[in-house]
Amino acid sequence: MMTATSVKTRMQVLCALFAAVCAVFSQITIPIQPVPITLGTFAALMAGGFLGKRYGFLSIVLYLLLGMAGVPVFSLMRAGFSVIAGPSGGFIVGFAAMAFVTGLAGEKFDYSFRGMIFASILGTAACYIMGLAWFMFLTGTGLWASMVMCMFPFLPGDLLKVLLASFLVSRYRKKIIESY
């Protein structure tokens, strides 16, 4: 039986692991403009689904802090605050909201495949809202034009990410998180 301290330590290690997973997955990129398609969103969905709202959010905040400190964890091996201040910055910061919302919804409903699809869709919507709002603010582009450039090209891939993350979390979460 694990003590409260060992559970906390285990979750902190998993938090660091998911920050690293996000850094690696963010390098798997299709470099379209103005915002690249990456697997970073998939990692954020997985962080929220596996770790819950608190540790999922913290793992992505760790990823963001590493990137802002100069570690090249953002897509295309980019780093620094200038990446966050750029057109894709709202989406990158939105990874944290994505993990939090996905984890929160997973905790509120359940970690079944259906529950995780709902949670992942909500998390993805949170990322889109933050990303589009920042892109519109930064570029002065209207909502429809921003959606055409920064959302519609991503929808098919994001649907696949939602389905795969939901499957993996519903199938393996208990084995990874709750097994000890």
Side-chain angles (χ1 to χ4, degrees), residues 153-169:
F154 296 80
L155 290 175
D158 284 343
L159 176 60
L160 292 174
K161 292 173 198 176
V162 162
L163 292 171
L164 183 57
S166 298
F167 170 76
L168 292 172
V169 170

Side-chain angles (χ1 to χ4, degrees), residues 22-23 26-27 29 34-41 43-45 56-57 59-68 71-100 123-124 126-135 150 154:
C22 192
S26 290
Q27 303 316 311
T29 302
V35 176
I37 296 172
T38 79
L39 284 183
T41 51
L45 288 173
F57 175 78
S59 70
I60 302 304
V61 167
L62 177 59
Y63 161 79
L64 293 170
L65 291 172
L66 287 168
M68 287 188 283
V71 179
V73 296
F74 301 140
S75 68
L76 306 171
M77 297 300 285
R78 296 176 301 155
F81 186 74
S82 63
V83 177
I84 300 296
S88 62
F91 292 98
I92 297 169
V93 172
F95 289 5
M98 179 183 248
F100 180 82
T124 301
C127 186
Y128 278 135
I129 289 167
M130 290 185 71
L132 287 171
W134 179 249
F135 183 81
C150 302
F154 296 80

Side-chain angles (χ1 to χ4, degrees), residues 4-77:
T5 303
S6 61
V7 169
K8 186 175 180 179
T9 301
R10 178 183 177 89
M11 291 306 289
Q12 290 171 343
V13 169
L14 287 170
C15 185
L17 176 67
F18 273 95
V21 167
C22 192
V24 171
F25 280 24
S26 290
Q27 303 316 311
I28 303 170
T29 302
I30 299 173
I32 64 170
Q33 293 296 325
V35 176
I37 296 172
T38 79
L39 284 183
T41 51
F42 178 67
L45 288 173
M46 299 279 285
F50 277 108
L51 304 179
K53 66 181 183 283
R54 179 180 179 199
Y55 286 105
F57 175 78
L58 288 174
S59 70
I60 302 304
V61 167
L62 177 59
Y63 161 79
L64 293 170
L65 291 172
L66 287 168
M68 287 188 283
V71 179
V73 296
F74 301 140
S75 68
L76 306 171
M77 297 300 285

